[in-house]
Amino acid sequence: MDRKQIIEDPQTGNKGEAFEAFDDIPANPNLTRTIGEVIASRYGRRDMLKGLLGVSASTALFGASALTAPRQADAAGTAASSRYAFDELAWGNDGTHHVAKGYDADILLRWGDPITADAPDFDVLNQTAQAQLQQFGYNNDYVGFTPLNTEGTRGLLCVNHEYTNEEVMFPALGRQDKADFAGMTRALVDIEMAAHGGSVVEITRGTDGKWAVVRDGSRNRRISPLNTVMTIDGPAAGHARMQTSADPSGAQVIGTLNNCAGGMTSWGTWLMAEENFHGYFWTDRLDADGKPDLSDQPEAAQMKRYGVPGRWYAWGKYHDRFNIDKDPNEANRFGWVVEVDPRNPEAAPVKHTALGRFRHEGAETTTSTDGHLVVYMGDDARFDYQYKYVSKGVVSDDPAANSKLLSDGTLYAARFDPDGSVHWLPLVHGEGPLTAENGFASQADVLIDARLAADALGATPMDRPEDAAPRGDGTAYIMLTNNARRKAGETDAANPRAKSRFGHIIEIKEDGGDHAATRGSWSILVKCGDPGIAAVGAEWNPETSDNGWFASPDNCAFDAEGRLWVATDQGSKWGKTGKSDGLYGVETEGSLRGHSKLFFRCPAGGELCGPCFAPDGETLFLAVQHPGTDGTKALTGFARASTFEDPATRWPDFNPQMPPRPSVVVVTKQGGGRIAG
Ligand code: FEO
Ligand code: CA
């Protein structure tokens, strides 16, 4: 289906679903190469003759045997018990959230909540950009916490606001993609822009164990694409391709957008990943089929590879910098990782170009065995790549010096080989194919066109790499959410299912337990979906219950005990499992490896983000974005698209005057204690 057909498809309930369905169309040119060409480019002929490729793809799944084998008794003859000490929640879908028995899940922050002392109260019928700039933004995704006292009872919550849903946000507006955004006035566009970005909010834990917002916290602030000035640094800063009419220096940009997942550094700064930035760029030049006409664009090839201009928001109608006809380089200034110092509200956030430009899902940090900073990052698109960044210098006690680690280092893209090895391919100008003859005149070109550089290096096209969770022992877990576009002839060992609707999780073990290693081994932890349906091809630990299996892993985190937690986002397709998105504890070790338990679930139509544990392990922050919005045509008893006036749920207020509001939820154990024991 083309864009128009997708927008008009009666199954598509809102603009977000149309955007998601359109992005289903792969942009990776390596898919058009034959498998023979790909193999030839990855292996020398001698290697092939030596039989390297004789290893069958299935044997690469050396981790899977633990999943399919009957449950093993331990040495004492007793079955292993779950490391997640809670009674599993029952799966389902309805208009509210649910948490395992014995826990509280309280609402801490909602879209529109005032977060500064002088902010006006939320008035959903009379929103303004000025008010929104002092209120909690929309669609909360990443949540980070950095403590302000040694007890950890005061701290700063750092929250990304990924995107906006105009149908349920503004009264009497309706879907704008169907109307070529005719209803989007300058005032509404500016409110949308003010609702994107991020929030820093001071919170404190009372003697009753409950958390509350400190409205007059001196560091509370909003970051937005409307008015937050940022510095650009690293190898692409100042490059001609980064210069615009508003910024001839190429080193300063207003704002960040579509901030999905992220990360906190060990020195307390917050990394915001810019994901689907392409959707915010506009053009007035459409061809006869209604597609962007890029014939006059000198950078048409990279624009196509990145999906610019997506034309899913009308910002370019009023802000020239978002219109590629007027300022084509502005799109080169988005798609990066932004570092924010939440303790210093005067400090300009920094876009670090050394970490490459792509649809950054997250930016989870760790350190190598000798102290280099390592950042794992996915490019969330069908058939795009997994990356990591290794700093040149090492982490020290000096926060200012540490932030420079994000300015100078090596970016790598991952190649997952069928023999179970992973190779990290450096995106370094002048090395291998990354030369001027191939269109990379400098390191700035390599980083601005990171996708094209990784194409040239032969990185492995993945099933949508979302968040990653690195652990100190050189292990990392990569969430691959789904890819229904992968055809039978396009599977490989690391992406083994055609039409993969439910995704999988890959475990990487870097050589020597060193996150800076350029080689490691990989295995599949779980293949998601319903294990009771053979055609799905799911693989879980056989002890996993009907409540425990899930689809579309997305965000993830380790708790203080080193246990992995996975949050899901099935998008508009949750009807295919019937389950609301939720949070699961997934065993990574021992005979229960690949076992999963449901801990929390969202209101229907919502996506679960976070998760973030406070340092003492007694508080878990979760973010529910777009509640009651995605895929509500599948919701029994509702079965239609949500609108402001007629939403599938009015979570969390359940006030007939209020639409659903994306919100941050705080989970604590009744009576105190660590989450999950
Ligand atoms: Fe914004 Fe890849 O999820
Ligand atoms: Ca995500």
Side-chain angles (χ1 to χ4, degrees), residues 141 162-163 258-261 275-276 359-361 380-381 464-467 481 554-555 569 607 625:
D141 195 299
E162 185 179 12
Y163 70 104
N258 208 267
N259 305 92
C260 194
E275 196 191 23
N276 293 308
R359 294 188 203 168
H360 281 275
E361 168 70 27
D380 180 10
R464 291 186 58 195
E466 298 260 19
D467 208 355
T481 198
D554 189 339
N555 295 16
D569 173 19
E607 160 191 355
Q625 67 160 307

Side-chain angles (χ1 to χ4, degrees), residues 217-229:
S218 60
R219 300 163 180 94
N220 292 4
R221 70 162 151 164
R222 283 296 323 283
I223 288 160
S224 87
L226 189 61
N227 69 348
T228 306
V229 176

Side-chain angles (χ1 to χ4, degrees), residues 86-91 98-101 547-548 598-601:
F86 61 85
D87 293 338
E88 186 171 42
L89 184 64
W91 71 273
H98 300 266
V99 67
K101 201 173 78 185
N547 301 313
L598 175 60
F599 181 69
F600 177 95
R601 63 178 161 90

